[in-house]
Amino acid sequence: MAPAAASGGSALPSGFRVFASFPDLLFIFEFVFGGLVWILVASSLVPIPLVQGWVMFVSVLCFVATTALLGLYLLGAHGEEASWVGLDAAYHCVAALFYLSASVLEALAAITMQEGFTYRQYHENIAAVVFSYVATLLYVIHAAFSLVRWKSA
């Protein structure tokens, strides 16, 4: 099996080769920044429950799905199946779209907190916005490279 997109191949990596191939290395950063969004939103004051409910849904869903997908890749559950390349591309496209919507809504929630909230509460939400946009960028980059890998498969 080829080591993945890092060497020009179109197959998905398995085992610890996931950590040595791009864009699959981004799983780690998606996991970290998605977890930070989840933690910050969960610990912050909620000015707009519906908006931040969506942000929590997206961050928890993507955190769990990214963890599951990374675990399946580490176990080599995909084998030589070409359909996994399409699944990887589809997942990262949907995750990027979800995170973009969550980032915009979290920014809206933070903007509404400028008046009447403490400095700490406001800055927790600003940190969540920043980490949410970083997670969005990571998912967009991963989606773009997954689509290239899928197209060449």
Side-chain angles (χ1 to χ4, degrees), residues 4 13 17 51 58 63 67 69 87 89 106 119 147:
R17 286 184 287 181
V51 166
V58 168
F63 185 85
T67 303
L69 202 55
L87 173 72
E106 182 61 25
Y119 188 74
L147 286 169

Side-chain angles (χ1 to χ4, degrees), residues 5 19 40 71 137 152:
F19 302 120
L40 285 167
L137 180 63
S152 68

Side-chain angles (χ1 to χ4, degrees), residues 1-11 20-22:
M1 179 189 295
S7 67
S10 62
S21 65
F22 191 82

Side-chain angles (χ1 to χ4, degrees), residues 4-152:
S7 67
S10 62
L12 291 170
S14 62
F16 288 106
R17 286 184 287 181
V18 171
F19 302 120
S21 65
F22 191 82
D24 303 302
L25 179 63
L26 294 175
F27 274 124
I28 298 167
F29 301 106
E30 293 163 358
F31 180 78
V32 169
F33 285 102
L36 286 170
V37 172
W38 178 12
I39 292 166
L40 285 167
V41 173
S43 69
S44 70
L45 189 65
V46 179
I48 309 170
L50 186 61
V51 166
Q52 287 187 299
W54 174 251
V55 176
M56 279 298 291
F57 171 75
V58 168
S59 61
V60 171
L61 176 74
C62 290
F63 185 85
V64 170
T66 298
T67 303
L69 202 55
L70 177 61
L72 289 170
Y73 286 179
L74 287 172
L75 294 173
H78 53 78
E80 296 292 325
E81 296 282 331
S83 61
W84 280 80
V85 176
L87 173 72
D88 182 64
Y91 166 69
H92 283 95
C93 287
V94 169
L97 182 64
F98 275 20
Y99 250 110
L100 180 61
S101 68
S103 298
V104 169
L105 290 174
E106 182 61 25
L108 172 71
I111 288 169
T112 62
M113 290 185 76
Q114 284 181 325
E115 304 280 331
F117 291 91
T118 67
Y119 188 74
R120 184 179 101 24
Q121 293 166 337
Y122 177 66
H123 280 258
E124 274 183 349
N125 275 285
I126 292 297
V129 170
V130 170
F131 290 135
S132 183
Y133 276 110
V134 170
T136 301
L137 180 63
L138 290 167
Y139 277 106
V140 166
I141 292 168
H142 200 147
F145 281 95
S146 292
L147 286 169
V148 168
R149 178 169 43 201
W150 173 67
K151 184 75 173 167
S152 68

